Amino acid sequence: MPVLRPAVPCCPPLTQRPLTVLEAELTAAMFKALGDPVRLRLFSLVASHDGGEACVCDISDVGVSQPTVSHHLKKLREAGLLTSERRGTWVYYRVVPAVLAAMAGVLTA
Amino acid sequence: MPVLRPAVPCCPPLTQRPLTVLEAELTAAMFKALGDPVRLRLFSLVASHDGGEACVCDISDVGVSQPTVSHHLKKLREAGLLTSERRGTWVYYRVVPAVLAAMAGVLTA
DNA sequence: GCGCTGTTTCGACATGCATCGATACAGTGA
DNA sequence: TCACTGTATCGATGCATGTCGAAACAGCGC
């Protein structure tokens, strides 16, 4: 488990100057995490859910098996986009707040 | 060559409502294109280059072979992020203007 | 036409990854 | 403790993809 630590405010806008190798590595890892349709839907389900968090049971209906959902949620966690917390029987996922803004910033001129 | 046509203004912010299957497909394709470190550096090199365009010869020094550079530029073209134009001996790449804003919009609450 | 340089395509290879069923783990309630 | 539900991990499989060298293509200058 390599788990690149994204260090949320990472990189300047792509239009400002060429990214360094390390910057590209960190930023690409985040984009890659959103580069799968199933993961993107899972992320969107969490991000748009009431209260800013969602139980796995709320978002498991994306057309793939339960182990696959779990696998994708793990990937999103490892990329630093989501956090998870177990409360009793259920596990809740949340969007890491600064990450969306950081990624948007990289794409903004 | 599937070449999903991105139809630039694609999708609402991820936080607004869950993406549909089709929206996720289109948007994930763009994120996926930026999800490789080499491609992200190439894209950044084009996006930050003087005049908004760059010759392949200007950006080929990213640590991989020249055919690999060409392969990645093709992927970025197919994803709708770059356009290319041959002018005499050299081929110039440009960022498709609206795409950056569209992707940033998806990530903005 | 011929050679030369810049760029793309081709074919092959190794690695990565999305997916699944089976299984293990965690917590609840009886 | 035992059964039950929700979630994560394991192991296997098939496909996607990043990479390269070799070869093809495109323009230019002679």
Side-chain angles (χ1 to χ4, degrees):
Chain A
M1 34 314 264
V3 186
L4 298 173
R5 260 285 129 244
V8 159
C10 161
C11 305
L14 294 177
T15 53
Q16 184 175 305
R17 59 162 175 78
L19 259 46
T20 67
V21 173
L22 181 59
E23 288 171 339
E25 212 97 31
L26 290 167
T27 308
M30 292 194 270
F31 283 128
K32 188 175 189 174
L34 295 184
D36 177 271
V38 173
R39 273 201 297 273
L40 191 59
R41 287 183 69 205
L42 287 170
F43 186 83
S44 175
L45 280 161
V46 173
S48 64
H49 204 266
D50 296 328
E53 68 179 11
C55 170
V56 175
C57 57
D58 291 326
I59 60 176
S60 290
D61 192 21
V62 288
V64 295
S65 71
Q66 185 274 322
T68 301
V69 169
S70 188
H71 164 76
H72 283 306
L73 289 172
K74 182 178 183 178
K75 287 277 187 120
L76 289 166
R77 249 188 296 128
E78 289 177 348
L81 303 185
L82 295 180
T83 57
S84 66
E85 182 193 356
R86 167 157 236 139
R87 290 208 291 277
T89 304
W90 295 280
V91 177
Y92 292 85
Y93 280 77
R94 295 188 151 272
V95 174
V96 173
V99 163
L100 277 178
M103 293 182 76
V106 170
L107 295 173
T108 306
Chain B
M1 23 338 255
V3 185
L4 297 173
R5 261 284 130 247
V8 158
C10 160
C11 305
L14 294 177
T15 54
Q16 184 174 307
R17 60 162 174 78
L19 258 45
T20 67
V21 173
L22 181 58
E23 287 171 342
E25 212 98 29
L26 290 167
T27 308
M30 293 194 269
F31 284 127
K32 186 176 190 175
L34 295 184
D36 177 90
V38 172
R39 272 200 297 273
L40 192 58
R41 286 184 69 206
L42 286 170
F43 186 84
S44 175
L45 280 162
V46 173
S48 65
H49 204 266
D50 296 327
E53 67 178 11
C55 170
V56 175
C57 58
D58 291 327
I59 60 177
S60 289
D61 193 22
V62 288
V64 295
S65 71
Q66 192 277 326
T68 300
V69 169
S70 188
H71 165 76
H72 284 305
L73 289 173
K74 182 179 184 178
K75 288 276 188 121
L76 289 167
R77 249 188 298 129
E78 289 177 347
L81 302 185
L82 294 180
T83 58
S84 66
E85 182 193 356
R86 170 156 235 139
R87 289 209 290 277
T89 304
W90 295 281
V91 177
Y92 292 86
Y93 280 79
R94 295 187 150 274
V95 175
V96 173
V99 164
L100 278 178
M103 294 182 75
V106 170
L107 295 173
T108 306

